[in-house]
Each structure stands twice: as C-alpha cells, then as structure tokens.
Amino acid sequence: MEYSRGDKIKVSYGTAIELGLIKGIMKDPPTTGYFFVMINKCEGKCKFCLQSKEPSDMISRVIWPEFNIEDILKKPLSKFKRICIQCSKENNIISKVINFISNISNIPISISTSPLREEEMILLKKMNIDIITIPIDCASKEIFSYIKGENWDYYWDSLEKALKIFGREKIGTHIIVGLGERECDIINILEKCKNMGIIPSLFAFTPIPKTELYNLKRPSISSYRRLQIARELIFMNEDYEFSYDNNGRIIEIKANKNILEDIIEKGEAFMTKGCPNCNRPYFNESPLGPIYNYPRKPRKEEIDIIRRELFAEGLKISYK
Ligand code: SF4
C-alpha cells in the first residue's frame, strides 16, 4: 500500500529529535517512536485534548511537528524498541495508518485508536500489529460520557472484541487520573483490566490551554503515587488490601512488607506503564517536576522524593 508523495504525519518532539528530523537534545529520550496520524480533523470530543477543538500540533503538553512520510522512512526507525501510532478519530483513518506501517518491519507496533470495526482489527492483526490500545481515559461511566461524550459500553465491547482478535496482554487502554474520579474508581478499572487481560496505562491529567478543562488542577502527586503502587500490586498478583475514606481515597495499603519495600526501593512502579518500552517522556509533566511517570528508572535521590510524595497525605502502610 503506497503513500502518496507529500503525505504527512505528526511526530512527537522527542521522537523527531531522536530521528534527526529536528535539532535538539532530549533529557530522557523516547524508547518508543511516537507518531500521530490524522486525515483532516479529529472528530473526538475529549474535553482534555486540543485536537477536539482544532487540528493542532499539540497532544497533551507535547508539540508534534508534521513531516512527510517519505522523509520519516529514510530515518533510523530501528533505533526505537517500539513504534506507537496514535490515531485521530476519523473514518478510514486505518487506511492512512496502513500506508505508513506497511513500510516498517522488525519493530513491534502499537496502535492507539478509538474503537475500530472488526474487519479493520483483523486486517491489523494480519499486518502483525503487536498491541491495540483503545483509550477509555475515564474511570467511570458518568465521567466518560461527560468528558468524552461517547458510549462507555460500546468502548468496553470494543475492548472485548479486540481481546478476541489479539489475545490477552495484547490489548491496552489509557486511564487519566484527575478527571474528577475517586481513587477507588481507578482501582476498580485497574482490577477489571487485570481480569480481562488488558494492559492499563496511567496518565496524569494535564491542563492544556484553549481546552475546556484548562482550569482543572493536576492530580495530587501523592494520590498518583498511591495509584501507581496499587497498579503494581494488582499486576504483580500480590495479596493486597486497600482501605478508603468516605471520598474513596486510599488511606491504607496492606500487603507483604518485603514486596512493598521492594516496590518503593526499586522505583519501577513509578515509571511510565503501558506497552513494553513505552516511556512517553514528559508527556504529562515538565522535566522540572513533579514527575508523575518517570521515563526511566528513578535514581536514588528521586526514590527519596517519591517516598516523601507517597506519604505526604498521611498514607498508612501495614503488612500482611
Ligand atoms: S501505552 Fe504507550 S506505546 Fe502503548 S499505545 Fe499507549 S502511548 Fe502508545
């Protein structure tokens, strides 16, 4: 499938630097190459995203300049451990995606998209796409319909269908912390994903100028740390207990002492989670911090900061 000369796609700033498409230095380079495919304009209505307002070079707080596909394909894509294609919500978007990915080989590819038709998913499976991600973004049905203006059940049905075609742990979703949900809602979604075989990726809400949610605050870093530990315990199949206050906030985590100590000390729980080798550097935060998702293993001094953040709101830890 050929792309026509001059066909363009967007490339995340860090990916463009890594490929030498633009000059610059990345503090923590991306280990995955991030691309955004759009035809005219995204038809999605996500209140946190500028693309729902107008075609823009911004996704979250990152700039995504546009390049010709032929120029991108001349670059050393193999330096990445994974390629991630983010898709705008448009009819036939998959044909443009296929025009690009049919020229890429020997690198695992993830596609992040709104729900697709079954035959489209089967076609992507035949093209050896590694992981399909259908971002649910919101942790409850009410917040989902308010923020995304779409059908919650339809999205879960689409995840089920994708699971049947791609299999367990080959389907992902994104969950944004800080859209008005309670921590216990996030835990419920994480446990549901675990049971279904879906890889959930945590994002921290990022206020973007000109979007409807620009005045909403970022989630508390302490809350985000509690949820990262929770995600780790759930996906490690550990024996855990979470206690909540009346607002559904985690006030106590109960689990094995060594496991909990290890999780904090090792720091991997506080890194970007999702498809293997996805690190999305500074997608939700400035490198000046606070860092919600570390794009690499936190250093010793950062573990000390993480520990302070974790206990800053009085979290109790007890042992099983
Ligand atoms: S988890 Fe990362 S690599 Fe996977 S779809 Fe999401 S952004 Fe892309």
Side-chain angles (χ1 to χ4, degrees):
M1 292 185 195
E2 266 318 300
Y3 54 84
S4 20
R5 281 188 72 72
D7 242 2
K8 294 181 185 304
I9 60 175
K10 295 179 190 294
V11 183
S12 81
Y13 199 75
T15 303
I17 290 176
E18 277 305 282
L19 289 176
L21 288 163
I22 51 177
K23 287 205 171 6
I25 296 168
M26 276 295 287
K27 186 165 175 268
D28 293 297
T31 48
T32 285
Y34 299 97
F35 301 91
F36 179 62
V37 175
M38 181 160 73
I39 300 170
N40 297 312
K41 179 192 172 308
C42 185
E43 290 151 16
K45 306 184 202 72
C46 309
K47 291 185 180 356
F48 51 81
C49 180
L50 196 50
Q51 299 294 337
S52 69
K53 291 264 176 223
E54 61 200 37
S56 151
D57 275 353
M58 293 284 288
I59 299 177
S60 186
R61 59 182 295 283
V62 176
I63 295 173
W64 297 62
E66 224 170 27
F67 295 92
N68 292 335
I69 290 182
E70 68 252 29
D71 297 334
I72 296 167
L73 293 173
K74 289 180 198 140
K75 298 294 180 185
L77 290 170
S78 56
K79 71 186 307 176
F80 295 117
K81 294 181 182 148
R82 174 170 296 277
I83 296 289
C84 170
I85 315 280
Q86 317 237 339
C87 307
S88 84
K89 187 176 188 301
E90 286 175 276
N91 273 340
N92 257 344
I93 192 68
I94 289 302
S95 59
K96 185 163 181 181
V97 171
I98 289 172
N99 286 352
F100 178 47
I101 57 174
S102 56
N103 298 279
I104 301 173
S105 50
N106 306 326
I107 313 173
I109 298 177
S110 296
I111 307 260
S112 174
T113 174
S114 49
L116 297 173
R117 296 193 304 275
E118 209 158 323
E119 59 272 20
E120 290 175 314
M121 289 199 279
I122 292 166
L123 180 55
L124 291 173
K125 174 74 179 160
K126 284 195 186 122
M127 296 188 72
N128 290 325
I129 293 303
D130 184 36
I131 292 177
I132 291 265
T133 289
I134 302 173
I136 210 98
D137 292 325
C138 309
S140 76
K141 190 169 185 167
E142 299 67 35
I143 294 175
F144 183 92
S145 28
Y146 167 64
I147 297 278
K148 289 176 76 83
E150 297 200 53
N151 183 311
W152 171 259
D153 299 329
Y154 171 58
Y155 266 63
W156 283 104
D157 290 350
S158 303
L159 283 161
E160 293 259 17
K161 280 204 187 97
L163 274 163
K164 289 199 182 89
I165 297 167
F166 283 81
R168 290 178 69 88
E169 274 88 51
K170 287 299 181 183
I171 300 299
T173 195
H174 296 165
I175 303 166
I176 302 174
V177 176
L179 294 175
E181 75 291 327
R182 300 166 305 164
E183 289 175 19
C184 59
D185 298 328
I186 302 266
I187 300 293
N188 292 342
I189 296 286
L190 290 173
E191 289 174 338
K192 181 173 180 173
C193 287
K194 173 69 184 161
N195 297 337
M196 291 174 73
I198 295 170
I199 312 167
S201 198
L202 288 181
F203 287 67
F205 167 70
T206 308
I208 305 297
K210 291 199 275 181
T211 64
E212 284 181 56
L213 299 182
Y214 184 43
N215 296 319
L216 193 63
K217 276 218 208 74
R218 294 168 187 275
S220 102
I221 190 74
S222 198
S223 169
Y224 202 77
R225 296 286 179 245
R226 293 192 288 272
L227 292 165
Q228 286 175 312
I229 291 216
R231 184 196 185 285
E232 198 74 3
L233 288 167
I234 292 167
F235 280 80
M236 285 170 74
N237 288 321
E238 273 306 318
D239 181 13
Y240 59 82
E241 258 174 65
F242 305 130
S243 310
Y244 304 100
D245 66 11
N246 298 341
N247 302 318
R249 195 179 75 141
I250 301 169
I251 50 174
E252 182 178 3
I253 296 178
K254 199 172 188 174
N256 173 286
K257 184 172 191 319
N258 299 334
I259 295 285
L260 274 168
E261 236 339 281
D262 220 36
I263 288 176
I264 298 171
E265 216 32 59
K266 281 213 178 108
E268 280 143 20
F270 312 107
M271 292 169 64
T272 305
K273 293 285 173 182
C275 304
N277 298 307
C278 170
N279 70 336
R280 281 192 315 269
Y282 309 112
F283 204 76
N284 290 148
E285 66 276 281
S286 135
L288 302 174
I291 312 284
Y292 289 88
N293 293 324
Y294 280 86
R296 50 154 174 77
K297 209 165 149 33
R299 290 184 276 271
K300 176 80 189 69
E301 66 279 12
E302 291 166 329
I303 297 290
D304 298 340
I305 296 170
I306 288 168
R307 213 179 262 283
R308 281 199 298 279
E309 291 165 341
L310 179 62
F311 294 105
E313 293 177 352
L315 175 70
K316 190 165 169 254
I317 294 253
S318 55
Y319 304 122
K320 275 191 172 254

